Amino acid sequence: MQIVLAPMEGVVDHLMREMLTQIGGYDLCITEFVRVVDQKLPARVFTRLCPELLQGGKTRAGTPVRVQLLGQEPGWLAENAVRAVELGSPGIDLNFGCPAKAVNKSRGGAVLLKDTEKLYQIVKAVRDAVPPAYAVSAKIRLGYEDTSLTLDNACAIAAAGASSLAIHARTKTDGYRPPAYWPWIAKIKQQVSIPLIANGEIWNAQQALLCQQQSQCQDIMLGRGALAMPNLAQHIRLQQPAMPWPQVLQLLMQYSEFEIAGDKGKYYANRVKQWFSYLKLQYPEAQHVFSQLRLLSKSQDILALLQQQLAK
């Protein structure tokens, strides 16, 4: 079983990748997307979103980090894919799943699931441009509004030479509402021979097992569940119990120090609140803290609240 940490824009940044891979259980991380429009991007764009490129394309725990690209122009995506691997990315991931309105409006992310031929052109251009030793993976949803093109899209991506395909088992219209339709992944598996990775609604070990059974996939990708239970990968892989709340608080303090130092506190308040919105799904204690936290905007006030909780 391979466990992949999903790309989550504005949430799973390099600091979160450091924290979660340090806890362990992940075989691969995918970055937040690098937006490609009509130019070859400078190296600083890649290293800002993926500073792991400066340390051999891995987190400090040794987990490989693959750069994800988002765009609609095959040629420009191919050129930027080459730059990313030259900078140290151990492969390329292509985003065909982002549901954000702004992204879809500019013909990126999940809206491309309406255009099977474009999916093929993008994957083929990137695969042809990137040296064979590097993986070229893709991430999709089951469709945009419905599943009418699900099998065609998966077959096109496989035919274009993708190394593997991660499938978030919902349409763009479904958003993040449960359930995830894992049996659809099994249908796709009957049509393509490349490795598939199942994604969506995996919050604990029981759901991971059910997902594997229904999708007929051993490999899984963890997103929001990894934020709700920081040791989810080890909970699934080694049957570890959920990380105790005091340990989660210590992790939050450690993350706070990194995040404030890294971004000079610019995004810290929003990111820690976002993390708490997931933690409260797993930990009742987080709900109480979140009710106080959401009223705070200054880093020092948030840190004081966390320290107060830790001292209890």
Side-chain angles (χ1 to χ4, degrees):
M1 173 177 58
Q2 298 278 299
I3 301 181
V4 183
L5 180 60
M8 297 177 68
E9 191 197 2
V11 184
V12 182
D13 59 4
H14 69 282
L15 298 170
M16 187 64 79
R17 293 193 292 270
E18 284 292 338
M19 302 291 294
L20 295 178
T21 59
Q22 178 183 306
I23 295 165
Y26 290 99
D27 299 287
L28 176 68
C29 299
I30 308 293
T31 69
E32 302 165 89
F33 63 75
V34 175
R35 183 69 170 273
V36 174
V37 182
D38 57 2
Q39 62 177 314
K40 190 173 183 178
L41 297 166
R44 67 178 181 276
V45 173
F46 295 92
T47 55
R48 184 173 66 241
L49 268 175
C50 185
E52 295 96 340
L53 294 172
L54 304 173
Q55 53 194 38
K58 296 179 179 180
T59 66
R60 289 189 182 89
T63 307
V65 181
R66 189 177 295 169
V67 168
Q68 185 184 75
L69 303 180
L70 179 146
Q72 60 159 320
E73 294 296 335
W76 288 117
L77 284 162
E79 285 202 39
N80 282 280
V82 170
R83 170 151 283 180
V85 297
E86 286 174 349
L87 289 169
S89 178
I92 295 296
D93 190 69
L94 295 167
N95 182 322
F96 302 127
C98 180
K101 284 183 182 177
V103 169
N104 292 169
K105 193 180 286 187
S106 57
R107 297 280 301 155
V111 75
L112 290 170
L113 298 172
K114 293 179 174 183
D115 190 343
T116 302
E117 178 59 27
K118 180 69 79 172
L119 294 179
Y120 176 85
Q121 290 170 3
I122 289 171
V123 176
K124 188 165 192 324
V126 173
R127 178 67 281 174
D128 288 350
V130 170
Y134 294 90
V136 172
S137 56
K139 185 166 190 274
I140 64 170
R141 284 175 171 255
L142 294 179
Y144 192 77
E145 292 167 334
D146 56 46
T147 56
S148 58
L149 292 175
T150 305
L151 297 178
D152 289 345
N153 287 341
C155 289
I157 289 168
S163 312
S164 64
L165 178 61
I167 302 163
H168 183 154
R170 286 182 272 232
T171 64
K172 184 268 180 189
T173 304
D174 291 331
Y176 293 96
R177 291 188 303 275
Y181 301 96
W182 299 320
W184 254 107
I185 301 174
K187 292 183 189 178
I188 295 168
K189 192 176 182 185
Q190 292 173 357
Q191 302 292 320
V192 302
S193 57
I194 61 173
L196 302 182
I197 302 159
N199 173 234
E201 279 318 288
I202 301 173
W203 299 92
N204 54 46
Q206 292 75 21
Q207 285 169 325
L209 183 60
L210 190 60
C211 172
Q212 288 175 317
Q213 290 169 345
Q214 292 189 5
S215 68
Q216 296 176 20
C217 281
Q218 281 303 300
D219 298 341
I220 58 175
M221 176 178 277
L222 305 178
R224 295 173 302 150
L227 299 171
M229 187 195 302
N231 67 327
L232 179 59
Q234 297 290 45
H235 171 67
I236 292 167
R237 195 183 286 282
L238 304 175
Q239 290 76 55
Q240 280 186 0
M243 181 180 283
W245 178 243
Q247 199 174 330
V248 175
L249 280 172
Q250 290 175 338
L251 199 64
L252 280 159
M253 290 298 298
Q254 190 182 344
Y255 176 75
S256 300
E257 290 169 22
F258 283 149
E259 188 72 67
I260 290 167
D263 282 331
K264 299 182 174 59
K266 188 178 178 184
Y267 307 109
Y268 169 68
N270 287 337
R271 282 181 173 165
V272 80
K273 287 175 187 177
Q274 204 162 19
W275 193 359
F276 259 90
S277 71
Y278 295 112
L279 286 170
K280 67 182 184 175
L281 301 175
Q282 174 68 35
Y283 297 93
E285 303 94 331
Q287 178 64 61
H288 172 67
V289 181
F290 184 69
S291 64
Q292 302 171 67
L293 179 71
R294 63 190 181 86
L295 303 173
L296 305 176
S297 58
K298 293 182 180 176
S299 301
Q300 60 265 35
D301 294 337
I302 295 172
L303 277 173
L305 175 63
L306 294 176
Q307 285 165 340
Q308 181 187 18
Q309 295 299 314
L310 201 52
K312 286 185 177 180

